[in-house]
Amino acid sequence: MKTLKEVKVGETATVVKLHGEGATKRRIMDMGITKGVELHVRKVAPLGDPMELNVRGYELSVRKVDAEMIEVL
Amino acid sequence: MELKIALAGNPNCGKTTLFNDLTGSNQYVGNWPGVTVEKKEGKLKGHKDVIIQDLPGIYSLSPYTLEEVVARSYLVSEKPDAILNIIDGTNVERNLYLTTQLVELGLPVVMAVNMMDLVRKNGDKIDVAKLSAALGCEVVEISALKGEGGIAAAEKAMAAAQAKKAGELPHVFTGSVEHAIAHIEESISGKVPNNFLRWYAIKIFERDSKVMETLHLDAELKAHLEEHIADCEAELDDDAESIITNQRYAYINGVVDKAVKKKAAKHSLSTSDKIDRVVTNRVAALPIFAAVMFLVYYIAIGPLGTFLTDWTNDVLGTAWLVDIPRGWLEGVGCAGWLTGLICDGILAGVGAVLGFVPQMLVLFLMLSILEDVGYMARVAFIMDRIFRKFGLSGKSFIPMLISSGCGVPGVMASRTIENERDRRMTIMTTCFVPCGAKMPIIGLFAGALFGGSGLVAVSAYFIGVAAIILSGIILKKTKGFSGDPAPFVMELPQYHTPSAKNVFHATWERGWSFIKRAGTVIVASSMILWFLQGFGFTETGFGAVEDNNSSLLAAIGGAVCGIFAPLGFGNWQSTVATVTGLIAKENVVATFGVLFHIGDGVAEDDVALWGAIAQHYTMLSAYSFMVFNLLCAPCFAAMGAIKREMNSAKWTAAAIGYMCGLAYLVSLMIYQFGGLITGEVSFGLGTVAAVLVLAFFIYMLFRKNKYDDNRLTVSAVHAAKVVTR
Amino acid sequence: MNVPTIIGAVIVAAIFIAIVARGIYNKRHGKGGCSCGGDCGTCGCCHEK
């Protein structure tokens, strides 16, 4: 299983499934990371975390811990 | 009849800008998500009976943070007559997600697509008619910043409110989900207002606990509904919440494909992204941040600021403010004591503070520009890793940045933080950042003892940041704050050229408030101080004293000042200044203005005040005093804000006690260790105490976190239970 | 005490009373004094608009 955490900077991936549950998952989904959406990893913050994504045409920052819950292809 | 129109939309989509445009008010606008955390009302220009309600930005109607709760409960329980939904035209997709939920509320909705000027500039096209048809509400194009179309949008919303007709609801979901929702609607009809039926049904489908609580459904019905939901979940192989979110976005995808034509290729670099490549660059981001803050403080409180203050004092301070009134008062033959009260009390105190106004304006101007450009959200992104180390999220950085202006809104901005523990820790530490009112203290000492060096202010800022980081690490290892870090999911807004109007307005408001306090609080405290330092018990009984060292104030201050002796400022004036500083931090400067002028009988100008300060302090004791005043309890206004946000006497006391304790110990170390190096203090009890304190700090910083292991979640839950009121 | 002194003292006392009374009034009406100027989105608590 490949997660968003493993996607390299500059690569694009498609979301397969969101794992986990509760408020964080809901928050991530509300921000537009849902099944089938394309994510483009824009960059990683200076200290290696969090990462900046381009999703649905805007910039979103998520932590790697949360990125691990996002299964991608 | 009075009409209420609520402005709803995603964070940072321009609600407050539109609000200002519509109501003619001047609410503060910034370029990061979460500027507005409270709702605000205003009357629509030209329509006395129409009330516009500005709400905090929300991404969805399933709230996680306090300010989202504010917006949701307003929309659901107070039921405005219409909702004016503002959409960021440059980011239609995610903005429409909220729209799909808003239209379900059963209230008349008008959609205003904002930032059309940017959309056109990018060469994108939005088909308004198609959007309108797909979402069942009227759509208007506006540009709030340029003032285009706002009034037209408000008029549409008024018409919709008067017609009291909600639009035709779009069928967003697929067959089986719509089927389940229809079933739920049927079972709860009569229990909820008719036009809210669909919204409640969807919330029940999502198993929203807050909505379930308010409905009091009986167990049998609940079980029956649960069956429907479970069926749906089995069929679509996902949980109910995800199904709803996925299908909403799927529906929006379809709409956007038809209605929005983007010129730029997907994931292409916008100007904003190009700036970001440099500013949040892996290597350069932290140095750039340090350099930016260095420049801001170096310029404001350094050479340029000192030059401005000198100039103000030369022109305004001596001649206008003190000499002319004195000559005049003496000319008309006023009694000496009244001349003294006015010139050596009020004017000396107020003048000492007012001299810093130009410097403050420079500082506020630069901070306002930084806020308006959109750099602040980047700082949160850059700093998240450091902050997470001790369990705070990068979001905690936003309150801290606001605190560089004033601690009160800084403390209140902590509301955007989801996690209660994080919020408490942010409230506790955010006042360490030197606020505008603390700047005169820094400026005074920098001028008096450090030759006007800008490095003093820069070091004060970084000491504040260091205090936050170290406090975070130490507090995180205590029971009350242990636990998992909160998630950090944050939008990074586009950069934009700062609007001159916004920047000057924000600068002026802060500056004016500073001047206003000088004219009120500082005047009153200077009067009281002048009396207290002018009278005392003499050999002939109570009366006026020649030397204020034998005054009542000196006696009171002298009784307490011993505890500050190990920190290097055991004179009574320092103690008095520290206490009066609680009323407002710049009062410290006013206090020196009153106390030192008379004590030394020097001429009344600020350079003379510098001389008096230089007589009473060494560089080291001045620095120690300055650090103590930066870190110790904030002013009463900020303490009040802490009390409100903590909503607990125990936590408020803990926060203020912690600040004072930390300030004392840090100043102790600065003076004792510094004194050993410069030879100002000899080895003694104080040194031993400082060594012990240092050892204690090192232990607290590096001890193993006993709450940081796999049992974490359990102990954190337990701790959370213990501390909840 | 001469006339200018009395007039001056009365003015000063009046200013003092006005400031304190205003402060108490603001406090009673839930408006503290924070230095943001009352126009930021975060301080609706201390300045009613």
Side-chain angles (χ1 to χ4, degrees):
Chain A
M1 184 185 97
K2 191 182 176 191
T3 68
L4 176 62
K5 193 185 167 196
E6 291 142 41
V7 180
K8 293 199 175 59
V9 174
E11 284 181 2
T12 303
T14 310
V15 177
V16 176
K17 195 175 167 61
L18 282 122
H19 296 270
E21 55 186 19
T24 310
K25 182 186 178 188
R26 175 71 195 238
R27 184 67 161 187
I28 289 174
M29 289 194 304
D30 281 346
M31 301 302 283
I33 302 183
T34 55
K35 226 185 261 185
V37 78
E38 259 190 16
L39 302 175
H40 177 77
V41 179
R42 186 74 84 191
K43 69 155 75 69
V44 172
L47 299 162
D49 198 14
M51 55 207 294
E52 184 182 336
L53 309 172
N54 182 283
V55 51
R56 296 184 189 272
Y58 78 100
E59 309 294 316
L60 181 72
S61 140
V62 289
R63 280 188 184 150
K64 291 208 161 156
V65 202
D66 300 325
E68 252 182 326
M69 308 210 299
I70 302 166
E71 190 181 331
V72 294
L73 200 66
Chain B
M1 197 195 75
E2 200 171 69
L3 286 180
K4 273 203 174 189
I5 297 173
L7 302 183
N10 280 187
N12 214 34
C13 72
K15 286 179 301 302
T16 305
T17 312
L18 181 65
F19 178 81
N20 287 344
D21 187 29
L22 291 179
T23 61
S25 65
N26 272 317
Q27 297 294 330
Y28 178 69
V29 189
N31 186 13
W32 74 79
V35 183
T36 310
V37 296
E38 291 209 323
K39 50 182 208 240
K40 297 229 166 172
E41 275 189 358
K43 286 201 168 73
L44 180 62
K45 265 191 271 183
H47 298 267
K48 281 244 169 324
D49 52 347
V50 178
I51 292 182
I52 305 283
Q53 181 90 44
D54 188 19
L55 296 174
I58 44 175
Y59 292 110
S60 141
L61 286 180
S62 355
Y64 297 111
T65 62
L66 279 177
E67 92 268 18
E68 286 179 343
V69 175
V70 171
R72 160 158 145 168
S73 59
Y74 177 79
L75 290 173
V76 176
S77 24
E78 287 185 44
K79 300 187 186 79
D81 297 299
I83 300 172
L84 184 52
N85 175 211
I86 297 142
I87 297 280
D88 177 351
T90 61
N91 183 11
V92 175
E93 219 170 312
R94 199 205 56 225
N95 278 259
L96 285 184
Y97 178 69
L98 178 69
T99 312
T100 61
Q101 301 182 29
L102 289 176
V103 292
E104 280 159 9
L105 284 173
L107 299 169
V109 178
V110 171
M111 193 201 296
V113 183
N114 194 10
M115 312 200 192
M116 282 311 290
D117 52 322
L118 278 177
V119 174
R120 278 183 221 119
K121 210 172 112 196
N122 294 343
D124 299 345
K125 288 222 155 48
I126 297 177
D127 188 332
V128 171
K130 278 186 185 146
L131 275 188
S132 171
L135 290 150
C137 59
E138 277 200 81
V139 183
V140 202
E141 294 187 358
I142 67 166
S143 169
L145 196 65
K146 301 250 152 50
E148 287 166 21
I151 296 291
E155 275 164 3
K156 283 251 162 90
M158 276 166 62
Q162 271 152 354
K164 286 202 179 116
K165 204 172 140 275
E168 196 63 36
L169 285 185
H171 280 253
V172 173
F173 308 110
T174 56
S176 49
V177 180
E178 286 288 355
H179 181 79
I181 290 170
H183 258 288
I184 299 172
E185 278 181 6
E186 212 173 282
S187 341
I188 60 166
S189 76
K191 293 189 174 68
V192 295
N194 232 343
N195 46 348
F196 278 86
L197 198 55
R198 187 174 167 90
W199 188 76
Y200 275 106
I202 293 169
K203 286 291 143 193
I204 290 172
F205 185 84
E206 287 179 314
R207 302 195 183 95
D208 186 304
S209 52
K210 278 191 182 137
V211 165
M212 290 296 242
E213 269 169 37
T214 58
L215 281 180
H216 309 294
L217 299 176
D218 57 71
E220 202 185 325
L221 182 57
K222 264 191 204 161
H224 173 67
L225 297 179
E226 183 58 38
E227 252 173 60
H228 278 293
I229 302 169
D231 275 353
C232 236
E233 286 180 322
E235 190 191 321
L236 294 163
D237 184 30
D238 217 338
D239 59 285
E241 251 191 331
S242 309
I243 293 172
I244 294 287
T245 315
N246 283 339
Q247 297 202 351
R248 277 189 205 282
Y249 268 114
Y251 182 77
I252 294 164
N253 266 353
V255 174
V256 170
D257 276 348
K258 272 184 264 164
V260 182
K261 296 271 172 297
K262 288 227 171 200
K263 198 178 170 202
K266 245 186 182 176
H267 311 311
S268 64
L269 288 176
S270 62
T271 322
S272 218
D273 299 325
K274 281 177 198 147
I275 300 173
D276 255 354
R277 283 185 105 167
V278 181
V279 171
T280 60
N281 177 287
R282 264 200 100 147
V283 185
L286 285 172
I288 287 177
F289 170 63
V292 166
M293 292 328 276
F294 179 93
L295 267 180
V296 165
Y297 283 93
Y298 191 84
I299 293 173
I301 319 292
L304 174 69
T306 317
F307 168 77
L308 281 173
T309 304
D310 277 355
W311 183 81
T312 325
N313 287 330
D314 284 346
V315 175
L316 189 132
T318 342
W320 282 39
L321 212 62
V322 182
D323 287 353
I324 294 178
R326 183 189 297 278
W328 189 77
L329 285 170
E330 280 166 357
V332 296
C334 265
W337 66 266
L338 187 64
T339 313
L341 169 64
I342 293 174
C343 297
D344 304 326
I346 302 170
L347 295 178
V350 173
V353 172
L354 282 184
F356 288 99
V357 167
Q359 252 178 312
M360 292 296 105
L361 289 178
V362 174
L363 178 69
F364 293 151
L365 177 72
M366 287 189 290
L367 292 175
S368 304
I369 292 175
L370 275 187
E371 285 168 9
D372 209 41
V373 167
Y375 183 60
M376 297 314 198
R378 266 72 188 181
V379 177
F381 174 71
I382 299 166
M383 299 295 279
D384 180 63
R385 182 65 204 273
I386 301 176
F387 276 66
R388 204 196 46 185
K389 265 265 179 241
F390 50 88
L392 287 183
S393 78
K395 270 195 182 169
S396 302
F397 206 76
I398 286 176
M400 286 159 200
L401 288 163
I402 300 175
S403 294
S404 58
C406 170
V408 174
V411 168
M412 294 198 63
S414 65
R415 289 186 185 181
T416 53
I417 297 161
E418 291 96 339
N419 181 313
E420 173 112 71
R421 284 187 310 263
D422 285 16
R423 219 163 57 76
R424 287 211 183 99
M425 197 192 281
T426 307
I427 295 170
M428 246 166 138
T429 52
T430 192
C431 286
F432 288 147
V433 173
C435 69
K438 287 172 183 170
M439 282 299 141
I441 307 179
I442 298 167
L444 179 69
F445 284 114
L449 288 153
F450 297 92
S453 167
L455 291 174
V456 182
V458 174
S459 73
Y461 181 77
F462 285 99
I463 283 177
V465 174
I468 291 166
I469 293 176
L470 296 182
S471 297
I473 297 172
I474 290 171
L475 291 175
K476 189 66 194 165
K477 293 179 183 176
T478 60
K479 205 171 169 186
F481 290 106
S482 58
D484 282 328
F488 177 65
V489 184
M490 198 175 110
E491 180 190 358
L492 298 175
Q494 302 269 311
Y495 287 102
H496 65 65
T497 332
S499 124
K501 194 179 139 210
N502 277 351
V503 167
F504 282 114
H505 176 248
T507 307
W508 172 244
E509 278 300 329
R510 290 173 182 177
W512 175 236
S513 165
F514 186 84
I515 296 169
K516 259 197 311 210
R517 269 180 310 155
T520 53
V521 179
I522 307 294
V523 168
S525 351
S526 297
M527 284 188 202
I528 297 172
L529 273 175
W530 186 83
F531 274 110
L532 287 176
Q533 61 87 50
F535 292 87
F537 292 99
T538 55
E539 285 147 20
T540 54
F542 190 80
V545 290
E546 272 298 303
D547 179 1
N548 68 6
N549 280 314
S550 43
S551 69
L552 195 60
L553 194 61
I556 300 170
V560 194
C561 71
I563 56 168
F564 293 120
L567 315 191
F569 46 94
N571 51 4
W572 64 270
Q573 290 95 335
S574 303
T575 309
V576 171
T578 303
V579 174
T580 54
L582 296 178
I583 297 168
K585 284 288 167 181
E586 66 268 40
N587 215 356
V588 169
V589 173
T591 304
F592 285 143
V594 175
L595 297 185
F596 287 141
H597 277 188
I598 297 178
D600 302 294
V602 288
E604 280 77 15
D605 64 26
D606 269 29
V607 179
L609 176 58
W610 287 0
I613 297 272
Q615 277 174 31
H616 282 80
Y617 292 90
T618 63
M619 274 163 95
L620 191 61
S621 65
Y623 199 77
S624 159
F625 176 77
M626 191 185 87
V627 169
F628 184 81
N629 271 284
L630 294 186
L631 299 182
C632 79
C635 65
F636 286 128
M639 284 194 246
I642 291 174
K643 186 161 162 270
R644 270 194 307 277
E645 294 303 309
M646 287 286 196
N647 202 6
S648 138
K650 196 185 90 187
W651 276 101
T652 311
I656 291 165
Y658 177 78
M659 289 178 213
C660 293
L662 184 80
Y664 190 88
L665 297 179
V666 169
S667 291
L668 178 75
M669 286 193 287
I670 288 178
Y671 186 67
Q672 293 296 337
F673 292 134
L676 274 187
I677 295 164
T678 60
E680 206 172 308
V681 286
S682 49
F683 189 87
L685 211 59
T687 324
V688 177
V691 170
L692 285 177
V693 169
L694 183 64
F696 174 71
F697 270 118
I698 291 173
Y699 168 72
M700 291 300 279
L701 279 174
F702 292 104
R703 75 183 170 138
K704 196 179 166 303
N705 188 349
K706 60 179 168 175
Y707 300 101
D708 187 23
D709 57 17
N710 289 336
R711 285 168 292 126
L712 178 81
T713 19
V714 182
S715 63
V717 168
H718 178 70
K721 273 189 194 142
V722 170
V723 297
T724 37
R725 26 173 205 283
Chain C
M1 286 252 192
N2 52 14
V3 179
T5 309
I6 292 168
I7 296 172
V10 167
I11 294 173
V12 170
I15 293 173
F16 183 79
I17 290 165
I19 291 170
V20 173
R22 183 81 197 153
I24 293 170
Y25 175 86
N26 283 345
K27 185 87 200 152
R28 287 241 175 97
H29 287 72
K31 295 185 262 182
C34 75
S35 63
C36 59
D39 269 334
C40 63
T42 43
C43 59
C45 71
C46 38
H47 324 266
E48 288 291 316
K49 268 269 158 180

